[in-house]
Amino acid sequence: MSFLNPLLLFGIGTIFVPIIIHLLNRRQFRRVTWAAMRFLKTSIDQNQRRMKLEDLILLALRCLLLALLAFALARPTLPWLKSQLLGAKVASVVILDNSASMATINGDQSRLTLAKQAVAVYIEGLPLGSSASILSVSGVETQPTSNLSHAKSVAQDVPQSGQVLDILGALSEAHEQLRKSGAVEKEVQIFTDGQAANWQSFDAVIRKMEEIRQDAEISIILTGKEAAANQSIDRLDLVSAIPSLNQPVTFQVDITNHGTSETYDVPVQLEVNSQAIGEPWIIDSLPAGKTESLTFHAPLTILGQNRVTVSLPGDSLPMDDRRTIIVNARKKVQVLLVDGDPGSIDAEAETFFLRLALAPVTGEKIDQYPVKPVVIRPSEIETSDLDQVTSIVLTNVADLPQSAVAKLKSFVQAGGGLVYFPGNNTQSEIDNALLGERHGLLPAKLGQAQSPENPVTLSDKTEAVEFQPTTGLSQAKFWTYLELKPEEGARTLLKFSDGAPALVEGDVGRGIVLVFASTCDLAWNDFCVKPAYVPFNHQVLGKLLLNDNQSANLRAGESFNAFVDSELAGREVTVYPTNDPEALGQLSKVELDGEKGLIRYAETTRVGGYQVSIANSQTALQFAVQHDKVESSRPTLPLEQLTRLENVATVVRLAPEQMEKGFIGTQRAGSELWILGVMLVGLIGLVEMVLAQKFSEPK
């Protein structure tokens, strides 16, 4: 037997209180000679023994009552006695891992299904009066509740997600909940497959568990077996410069073998708007742990959003066998070229070579070509309609009015692209102050123009995916360039041969700003007359256009945000999975955000394509959700880490045959006897009251 409140056993000492009171209140007799007492003495002698016995009985009952009360308050328990009715109440937090890897099929059911069954058995085994809360990768599914049936139901309804399990965040939330609980028995139950990729901050997790162990018991229930074979689609990206209607575009696909053995004849199928494009690409062999990169070409058949999917044959983890992206096909790509030095004739204009590079066609083909460069002067920015413009290029602009810069900032924040080319008119200090410090439009601080003794070239070595296919970058010579000092968070995409930044990228709102260190004409370099100049500018433009697609391509758990016409504000929005038209749509509403309508949708746990429809409107949107590729990783926690976990938690490897109450292995105090103690206290108190009344009657 053990006690949950052992200090209260000192309360048994209160049994001396009625004894002391009894002794203090004993009648003191003084002998007085009185003739009439002779006749009472015989009667008193006859009742004296009975009265002493009655007093002793009442004294014993009162002492026993106080002792039992102290015993009950100390909450005695019997570990060997298992009873839901008498069991110690538990405050429990269940962390249910519903990350992408939990979709792995073991036998005839997924790891998540097995985990849900285990959670149900665990909750059913909690003592009456206990509370439970459910946490998942998405956060709190239900707050602590004593309605265990509700908690069990919530756990069964937790959806399969494509997200990554943040085990450290979940433990922190569980600890915070348990701190608020007044229960003596506290438990944290983690139902997971133990995938190693989800335990990256392992040392921090161990420290958090050690902290929790001071207040609660922790159990880790490992569900499922390690998958021996799994091929995944880790990447599906559009790499064509300009995605235009009915024009072939290029997609890059990465297939990884996460299994333990080499696979053969793996078919990879590309679909555009649910239509298969050609025959599957067959990967002859893919060694274990290796990645194969494939290139697909296909036309975009719909003006606007196209749904592009790559699929593999189903395996143990179906979630990563399909990957979908949304690509926006345009019929016209309007680029605004702001010329800061137009010259006296067309060939002398700052934008002359840039305009030809963006639309390298002549004659009748100009009308059919998707890119439409439009040249304006800096003073015309304020009066230009930017609604149909996709990108703006500033070339050798001396300075801009503040109102024009504010308009540029609004354009970029809404998702537009801005490219900055310097020149002889550039005033670095003014641009740093106005464009950079005041409006945050420069991802790099502009320095002084540098003129090295020997001309430099662009480095062919770059980590930027957009410029890797480009050849001939190193053929161009730069005799002057602007010193760029990238701001925090900015990305250097290209460098010169002397290591100086040549192209720097930064995010502004939902848009992108690119700063090139040299001119777009022949003033500081000969890049514009080299073969690489045309593909370079198309890739720059393509990068800006790809950013337009990024808002429709999300990782699981990211919020979908889309701007629509302000007239649609207040209307109902229905969001439903593309491949499941019968699924119940999730309702939302179009919000008014400034001069635009805004659709927000955060329930993006399900992987795949989604349709968005607005009530009484022809406006229809699509977006796609991808799982995190780390979830495809096969290895589970290594033996060394499992051993460390066993020092701070009870680790159970669960099999289907273990589905019975008590399988968790948590060491609880057992059944509590305080209820029986309180019942005895009440019974003894009632008996004492009846006897006291009885004994006080005249004899």
Side-chain angles (χ1 to χ4, degrees), residues 260-409:
T260 57
S261 60
E262 187 172 6
T263 57
Y264 302 93
D265 300 328
V266 180
V268 185
Q269 181 66 61
L270 176 71
E271 300 175 5
V272 177
N273 300 316
S274 300
Q275 297 296 318
I277 305 299
E279 296 296 323
W281 183 304
I282 305 297
I283 302 177
D284 295 332
S285 65
L286 186 58
K290 298 298 181 180
T291 299
E292 180 85 7
S293 293
L294 310 177
T295 301
F296 287 90
H297 304 278
L300 301 177
T301 57
I302 297 177
L303 182 63
Q305 292 183 314
N306 290 255
R307 188 174 63 257
V308 180
T309 302
V310 172
S311 60
L312 294 171
D315 55 25
S316 60
L317 182 53
M319 182 173 291
D320 62 11
D321 295 333
R322 290 178 65 87
R323 200 171 187 91
T324 299
I325 62 173
I326 303 299
V327 180
N328 194 19
R330 298 176 178 273
K331 190 174 183 179
K332 181 175 71 172
V333 178
Q334 185 169 320
V335 182
L336 209 59
L337 306 181
V338 183
D339 197 327
D341 186 11
S344 57
I345 61 175
D346 189 35
E348 294 178 353
E350 189 79 21
T351 57
F352 175 73
F353 293 99
L354 180 59
R355 176 168 52 83
L356 294 178
L358 291 174
V361 293
T362 58
E364 297 178 355
K365 294 182 179 179
I366 292 180
D367 294 333
Q368 300 175 357
Y369 199 72
V371 180
K372 309 294 183 184
V374 177
V375 180
I376 66 169
R377 298 197 177 197
S379 59
E380 298 177 89
I381 292 179
E382 294 178 83
T383 58
S384 297
D385 182 7
L386 303 185
D387 287 344
Q388 303 302 319
V389 175
T390 59
S391 305
I392 299 176
V393 183
L394 301 178
T395 64
N396 195 16
V397 176
D399 60 53
L400 290 168
Q402 290 194 23
S403 56
V405 178
K407 189 172 183 179
L408 289 177
K409 181 178 180 180

Side-chain angles (χ1 to χ4, degrees), residues 15 43 126 140 153 258 289 371 399 419 456 490 493 545 569 623 645 652 681:
I15 64 175
S43 176
L126 286 173
V140 179
S153 175
H258 296 280
V371 180
D399 60 53
V419 183
V456 296
L493 304 181
L545 293 176
F623 66 92
L645 285 174
V652 178
V681 167

Side-chain angles (χ1 to χ4, degrees), residues 19-162:
I19 295 176
I20 293 173
I21 294 174
H22 175 78
L23 294 176
L24 291 176
N25 289 332
R26 289 185 62 183
R27 296 176 182 176
Q28 300 297 324
F29 296 98
R30 183 164 59 91
R31 295 183 177 275
V32 177
T33 303
W34 182 31
M37 290 294 295
R38 291 180 304 166
F39 303 103
L40 297 175
K41 186 176 185 307
T42 303
S43 176
I44 292 174
D45 289 341
Q46 293 176 353
N47 294 327
Q48 187 71 36
R49 183 174 299 178
R50 180 173 59 82
M51 294 173 63
K52 288 182 178 181
L53 180 61
E54 290 175 350
D55 288 344
L56 289 175
I57 290 175
L58 292 176
L59 177 63
L61 288 175
R62 290 161 183 166
C63 291
L64 181 60
L65 186 148
L66 291 175
L68 281 176
L69 183 60
F71 186 77
L73 291 175
R75 298 181 67 181
T77 61
L78 294 176
W80 51 267
L81 180 60
K82 304 297 182 182
S83 169
Q84 278 191 281
L85 178 62
L86 300 178
K89 294 179 178 60
V90 176
S92 174
V93 179
V94 174
I95 300 176
L96 177 56
D97 181 2
N98 61 326
S99 61
S101 63
M102 291 291 285
T104 301
I105 303 297
N106 292 133
D108 59 350
Q109 59 185 353
S110 69
R111 294 173 180 173
L112 181 58
T113 300
L114 182 61
K116 287 182 177 181
Q117 294 173 1
V119 170
V121 173
Y122 166 72
I123 292 178
E124 289 172 358
L126 286 173
L128 294 179
S130 298
S131 66
S133 66
I134 309 297
L135 306 181
S136 72
V137 299
S138 302
V140 179
E141 297 290 341
T142 182
Q143 293 288 345
T145 174
S146 57
N147 187 344
L148 298 182
S149 296
H150 173 68
K152 177 181 172 182
S153 175
V154 169
Q156 300 310 303
D157 291 338
V158 170
Q160 177 65 66
S161 171

Side-chain angles (χ1 to χ4, degrees), residues 441-473:
L441 283 174
L442 292 180
K445 189 173 183 179
L446 308 180
Q448 298 300 315
Q450 305 295 314
S451 298
E453 183 176 346
N454 297 314
V456 296
T457 63
L458 286 172
S459 175
D460 281 324
K461 296 181 179 179
T462 174
E463 296 181 358
V465 175
E466 298 83 2
F467 303 103
Q468 286 177 355
T470 302
T471 58
L473 286 175

